[in-house]
Amino acid sequence: MWKRTAAIWLMHSLAFVAGLVLSGVVAVGLWAVVPVTGANWLVFGGALAVSIIAVGAGYGLYLTLVGLLLDLNLGWAYYLLGPVVVLGVMALVFAGVYSHMLTVGQGSLGGYAVLFLIGGGVMTRRARLGRENAEMPEQDDRA
């Protein structure tokens, strides 16, 4: 049981780091073409667009890798609801930094830690449920 849990968290960690790297690469690449001067709405819209695209690309890679590494069939709910969780955590981090409760570094690291723990918990639960369902014999409902 402990080996399986350790393997799940290792695969989750590898996929998480790959998603973070891709997210950073996409964000840096997009900043090269997004205007950084001009009207406030233009700069804010550009920053928001870069964030959404970068987070979406990183999260998509994370889910794809974790699904392949753990041999899980992740449905569309993971792809649709996961970004909502990510944006929720990002909003909490932004609120904490904006209200001066957190520094930028604390908010960033805390946000990543929360996302890592949430993702690991969800994937551990999903992998265990998948394994339990695979071990249960098929029941014939024909009477």
Side-chain angles (χ1 to χ4, degrees), residues 21-75:
V21 169
L22 179 66
S23 178
V25 168
V26 168
V28 169
L30 287 176
W31 273 117
V33 296
V34 171
V36 293
T37 59
N40 285 342
W41 64 268
L42 182 65
V43 174
F44 179 76
L48 189 60
V50 166
S51 297
I52 290 171
I53 293 169
V55 166
Y59 183 74
L61 178 67
Y62 162 76
L63 277 184
T64 301
L65 286 176
V66 83
L68 291 172
L69 291 170
L70 294 175
D71 195 26
L72 296 174
N73 185 12
L74 299 173

